[in-house]
Amino acid sequence: MAETKSCLVEKLSRYAPLSERDLERLATLEEEERPCPRGSDVHRAGDRNGDLFVLKAGWAFSFTNMPDGRRQIVTVHHPGDVIGFPDIAFRNATTTLRCVDDVTLCPFPKSALSVILRESPRLSALMLSIALRDQVVFIDLLRAMGRMSARERIAHMLLDFRARLRMTDPAVTDRFRLPLTQQQIADYLGITNVYVSRTMIQMEDEGEIVRSEGHITLRDASKLERLTDFCDRYADMDTSWFPDT
Amino acid sequence: MAETKSCLVEKLSRYAPLSERDLERLATLEEEERPCPRGSDVHRAGDRNGDLFVLKAGWAFSFTNMPDGRRQIVTVHHPGDVIGFPDIAFRNATTTLRCVDDVTLCPFPKSALSVILRESPRLSALMLSIALRDQVVFIDLLRAMGRMSARERIAHMLLDFRARLRMTDPAVTDRFRLPLTQQQIADYLGITNVYVSRTMIQMEDEGEIVRSEGHITLRDASKLERLTDFCDRYADMDTSWFPDT
DNA sequence: CGGATGCTTGATCCCCTTCAAATAACGTGG
DNA sequence: CCACGTTATTTGAAGGGGATCAAGCATCCG
């Protein structure tokens, strides 16, 4: 029985059935979990690449800066997310990882990937699939940034957050905590904090959302889904082609 | 000796040294190459997922539409590129693949991935790395879309194209063929064709670029690199952690 | 309770869009 | 190789979405 409460096991076994051996293998790869206070940086862009993480609790985000100070938040990480995948193709981190909340991280070393690739084709397929799923999520975000208005972008972001939160907690409803500042939302969506404020007020005035106590409520999620042509990439991965072992 | 001129072998062996066995394995996975006329669609968004491709010759691009007709080109594919990676995590294609030129494709089936994962950890690592490298390229593009002006986006695109073309042909200089229409560039960068025209004229007036005979010349690439804080993601992948076999 | 941080609001500006039309380049058939 | 329709590029004028700057409020936290 998998009595071990490994983050990685917890996370990956959600996607596809894994053998006992694979589960054990995963559990041994993990290092001791590690807390990080809100506002702190786990690593900075340019740092030598170290570990990958599973985000056990709290929100975080990855971002890059331009020389003149413009900032782009690239990913908002939710509990259960694997963090650091894109960087492993390179020697140095391409983004800075900052904690939104007090956060708990479960690190596992980059070299663990090598072990997985050598020993478990099925786990390898899973890692690859997650990476490729994330790529499609980026593509969806790219479409939002390229062709959507500020209002649509915010709607898209909210739907995306809901879908992601629902992955680790199926009980998530149309009301959930949103700990990001408007400046952070702005840096994520490529607009300004001022316009985030204006747009969210407008969305609230028109009954699309409600804000209170750091939480947000989607009043009519399916309307927002139509508005943004939203597609939940977390719900329907294809695992049928995976090797059996 | 690898006498077979397999596209896949050609492509992948560029990144990291591979064993004879791996090279042979790759060669057998490939199906017969296939031509596609310019302007035609290889597959459409929503189609059941079939093959992956190596683009042997010509340019192509992948795009999505919004219900109201807005279009976002997501990737511009150059000779040597592997096409279709993001889709394999799903049952259906998420984008439409359209040919810019008369194109030659080397298809290999999705099931080939399963074979690779089972038989060659080293090739698996390579596939994963390419997927993750592409993810970083998307992140760079995202940053451009979120925080850069039209002019900076165009500069970024040109630098990216040059870097990619140089991967398969190191002889590529600051002058190269640019077969995209301004409408396509616009749909790629999230601006309008009209503004692409205006901006490129301005860039030409100010001596940053030259256009002639369907080609473009970068007059001072390093200046453009500073302007956009450009980073060549194709030049420096980290393969040091790969399994040996 | 006081400072800092985050949110809202107003006035003004500009990058880019939209619409429309003219010009140029291209592809095809004769 | 030219003629002609088609598609791509350029140009102009006008308008809007969102940026910028600056100030006033609300909230959080020690």
Side-chain angles (χ1 to χ4, degrees):
Chain A
M1 286 293 295
E3 175 136 348
T4 53
K5 262 303 159 222
S6 156
C7 287
L8 209 47
V9 169
E10 171 85 14
K11 171 72 183 173
L12 295 186
S13 60
R14 206 184 303 276
Y15 287 99
L18 299 172
S19 68
E20 280 299 313
R21 261 194 84 200
D22 275 349
L23 294 176
E24 282 167 32
R25 233 180 322 240
L26 277 178
T28 63
L29 294 175
E30 200 162 312
E31 298 172 355
E32 201 178 348
E33 71 179 41
R34 160 179 154 195
C36 271
R38 56 179 281 190
S40 68
D41 292 345
V42 180
H43 60 72
R44 299 224 162 78
D47 285 359
R48 190 143 204 88
N49 265 332
D51 297 335
L52 291 150
F53 304 99
V54 176
L55 181 54
K56 191 174 185 182
W59 288 37
F61 61 86
S62 300
F63 69 96
T64 56
N65 279 321
M66 299 199 51
D68 64 359
R70 284 176 283 183
R71 184 170 76 160
Q72 178 67 44
I73 293 180
V74 152
T75 316
V76 176
H77 308 286
H78 304 93
D81 284 358
V82 178
I83 302 179
F85 248 138
D87 286 341
I88 68 168
F90 302 99
R91 279 190 185 72
N92 301 303
T94 57
T95 55
T96 300
L97 174 57
R98 180 164 295 172
C99 303
V100 174
D101 300 311
D102 286 334
V103 142
T104 308
L105 296 169
C106 303
F108 60 103
K110 188 169 171 176
S111 57
L113 278 185
S114 186
V115 175
I116 289 176
L117 288 166
R118 254 185 288 115
E119 300 189 359
S120 172
R122 190 170 174 80
L123 274 179
S124 303
L126 186 49
M127 300 293 254
L128 180 61
S129 286
I130 291 175
L132 294 173
R133 193 267 325 269
D134 288 347
Q135 206 165 313
V136 174
V137 171
F138 275 121
I139 287 172
D140 289 342
L141 184 54
L142 202 62
R143 189 176 75 141
M145 305 281 284
R147 289 302 181 204
M148 289 186 192
S149 67
R151 185 168 185 158
E152 291 165 327
R153 289 185 211 187
I154 290 174
H156 176 87
M157 177 193 73
L158 295 173
L159 291 169
D160 181 62
F161 286 175
R162 190 185 60 147
R164 296 175 83 137
L165 292 169
R166 209 153 44 186
M167 234 197 335
T168 46
D169 178 8
V172 167
T173 62
D174 288 344
R175 181 168 193 271
F176 54 86
R177 192 172 75 99
L178 182 62
L180 299 180
T181 68
Q182 291 183 351
Q183 181 61 61
Q184 287 162 351
I185 293 173
D187 286 338
Y188 181 49
L189 298 179
I191 48 187
T192 58
N193 58 342
V194 175
Y195 208 67
V196 169
S197 173
R198 287 194 225 278
T199 307
M200 292 190 85
I201 288 170
Q202 194 190 351
M203 291 174 80
E204 193 157 25
D205 285 348
E206 297 179 15
E208 294 187 340
I209 59 173
V210 178
R211 293 175 295 169
S212 68
E213 305 152 27
H215 284 61
I216 196 143
T217 309
L218 310 186
R219 296 292 300 279
D220 186 350
S222 61
K223 181 187 163 197
L224 295 182
E225 284 173 353
R226 282 193 306 280
L227 176 70
T228 61
D229 193 31
F230 184 79
C231 182
D232 184 349
R233 305 297 185 183
Y234 307 96
D236 58 307
M237 260 175 52
D238 177 18
T239 59
S240 65
W241 59 278
F242 281 20
D244 291 331
T245 55
Chain B
M1 287 293 295
E3 175 136 349
T4 53
K5 263 301 161 221
S6 157
C7 288
L8 209 47
V9 168
E10 172 84 14
K11 170 71 182 175
L12 296 186
S13 59
R14 205 183 306 274
Y15 288 99
L18 298 173
S19 69
E20 279 299 314
R21 260 194 84 201
D22 276 348
L23 295 175
E24 281 167 29
R25 232 179 323 239
L26 277 177
T28 63
L29 293 174
E30 201 164 309
E31 299 172 353
E32 200 178 349
E33 71 178 43
R34 162 179 150 194
C36 270
R38 55 179 284 192
S40 68
D41 293 344
V42 179
H43 59 71
R44 299 223 161 79
D47 285 359
R48 190 142 205 89
N49 265 333
D51 295 336
L52 291 151
F53 303 98
V54 175
L55 182 53
K56 191 172 183 182
W59 288 36
F61 61 86
S62 299
F63 69 96
T64 56
N65 279 322
M66 299 200 50
D68 65 0
R70 284 176 285 184
R71 183 169 77 162
Q72 178 67 45
I73 293 180
V74 153
T75 315
V76 176
H77 308 285
H78 304 94
D81 284 358
V82 177
I83 302 180
F85 248 139
D87 286 340
I88 68 165
F90 302 99
R91 277 190 187 71
N92 301 302
T94 59
T95 56
T96 300
L97 175 57
R98 182 164 295 170
C99 303
V100 173
D101 301 311
D102 287 333
V103 142
T104 308
L105 297 169
C106 303
F108 60 103
K110 188 170 170 176
S111 57
L113 277 185
S114 186
V115 175
I116 289 176
L117 288 166
R118 253 185 288 117
E119 301 188 359
S120 172
R122 189 169 174 81
L123 274 178
S124 302
L126 186 50
M127 299 295 252
L128 181 61
S129 286
I130 290 175
L132 294 173
R133 193 267 326 268
D134 288 346
Q135 207 165 313
V136 173
V137 171
F138 275 121
I139 287 173
D140 289 342
L141 185 54
L142 202 61
R143 189 175 76 139
M145 304 282 282
R147 290 299 180 207
M148 287 185 192
S149 68
R151 184 165 183 163
E152 290 165 327
R153 290 185 210 186
I154 291 174
H156 176 88
M157 177 194 73
L158 295 174
L159 291 170
D160 182 61
F161 287 174
R162 190 185 59 148
R164 296 175 83 139
L165 292 169
R166 208 153 43 182
M167 235 198 335
T168 46
D169 177 8
V172 167
T173 62
D174 288 344
R175 181 168 194 273
F176 53 88
R177 193 174 73 100
L178 181 62
L180 300 180
T181 68
Q182 292 184 352
Q183 181 62 57
Q184 288 162 351
I185 294 173
D187 286 338
Y188 181 50
L189 299 179
I191 49 186
T192 57
N193 59 340
V194 175
Y195 208 67
V196 169
S197 173
R198 287 194 224 278
T199 307
M200 292 190 85
I201 288 169
Q202 193 188 350
M203 290 175 79
E204 193 156 26
D205 284 348
E206 297 179 17
E208 295 186 339
I209 59 173
V210 177
R211 294 175 293 169
S212 68
E213 303 152 29
H215 284 60
I216 195 142
T217 309
L218 311 186
R219 296 293 298 279
D220 185 351
S222 61
K223 181 187 164 198
L224 295 182
E225 284 174 352
R226 281 192 307 278
L227 176 71
T228 60
D229 194 30
F230 184 79
C231 181
D232 184 347
R233 306 297 185 182
Y234 307 95
D236 58 309
M237 260 176 52
D238 176 20
T239 60
S240 64
W241 59 278
F242 282 19
D244 291 331
T245 55

